[in-house]
Amino acid sequence: MTKVKTESFKETRALAEEFIEDVLRKRKPKTGALVLLLSGDLGSGKTTFIQGALRYFGVRRATSPTFVLMKHYRLSRAKLGVKDVYHVDAYRLRSFGDLKELGFGDVLKSSRALVMIEWPERVRTSLFKDAKMISFACGEKENERIIKF
């Protein structure tokens, strides 16, 4: 497990960009989406990290899908094999069944998709056994975040 401390929103976003590139370059060809599970308290940096990951793909404006549950970003050009990025906020969900109603099962089948899920503990499922877990915590200073991979 790697533990990183960031001291600003900018550092958290930059860390996400580096992390995404590293994970995608090391990824072995497989069938199915690359899934990242982001766990941590409210305000601990999950959405900021996802914004950084989206910046890696050229998406400059991204907000949390708290009320729409899932946002889909279709990239104009694939980057390191990713053509579709999904940002899921599962905080208001009760189970994986709630995601299935949104067509999420098909999303997980795509090897050209990156799926980032905030609050994954709300939709625990065995489908995420190969997912990468990232945990977030607030540090001692106002904008300090502790991120564990």
Side-chain angles (χ1 to χ4, degrees):
M1 179 180 292
T2 302
K3 180 177 169 181
V4 178
K5 178 172 62 171
T6 63
E7 297 183 358
S8 69
F9 297 114
K10 188 176 179 179
E11 281 185 19
T12 300
R13 286 192 300 260
L15 175 66
E17 290 185 61
E18 292 171 18
F19 175 80
I20 289 297
E21 181 167 23
D22 186 54
V23 166
L24 290 173
R25 289 197 184 281
K26 292 177 181 175
R27 184 179 184 204
K28 295 178 177 129
K30 67 176 200 165
T31 58
L34 170 61
V35 179
L36 304 179
L37 305 176
L38 294 89
S39 185
D41 291 335
L42 192 63
S44 62
K46 299 180 299 293
T47 300
T48 301
F49 188 90
I50 289 174
Q51 289 169 337
L54 287 166
R55 281 177 173 261
Y56 174 78
F57 294 105
V59 177
R60 296 289 178 227
R61 194 164 165 88
T63 57
S64 180
T66 301
F67 298 104
V68 295
L69 305 179
M70 180 170 66
K71 285 192 177 179
H72 174 207
Y73 299 90
R74 181 139 183 90
L75 307 177
S76 58
R77 186 167 24 128
K79 189 166 186 179
L80 292 176
V82 173
K83 184 71 175 168
D84 296 285
V85 180
Y86 296 87
H87 177 188
V88 178
D89 185 327
Y91 184 77
R92 297 184 317 127
L93 302 179
R94 292 170 299 201
S95 71
F96 183 73
D98 291 342
L99 276 177
K100 282 176 63 176
E101 290 179 22
L102 298 172
F104 194 70
D106 291 334
V107 169
L108 292 176
K109 293 176 186 173
S110 173
S111 61
R112 296 176 61 82
L114 168 64
V115 178
M116 298 178 283
I117 303 173
E118 293 185 65
W119 304 101
E121 54 277 359
R122 305 285 295 175
V123 292
R124 286 272 184 229
T125 178
S126 62
L127 292 174
F128 299 145
K129 67 178 181 206
D130 293 329
K132 300 206 176 296
M133 177 61 94
I134 307 170
S135 66
F136 295 79
C138 293
E140 293 177 13
K141 298 176 187 170
E142 183 178 350
N143 291 318
E144 186 177 83
R145 299 296 181 261
I146 310 300
I147 304 165
K148 297 178 187 175
F149 302 97

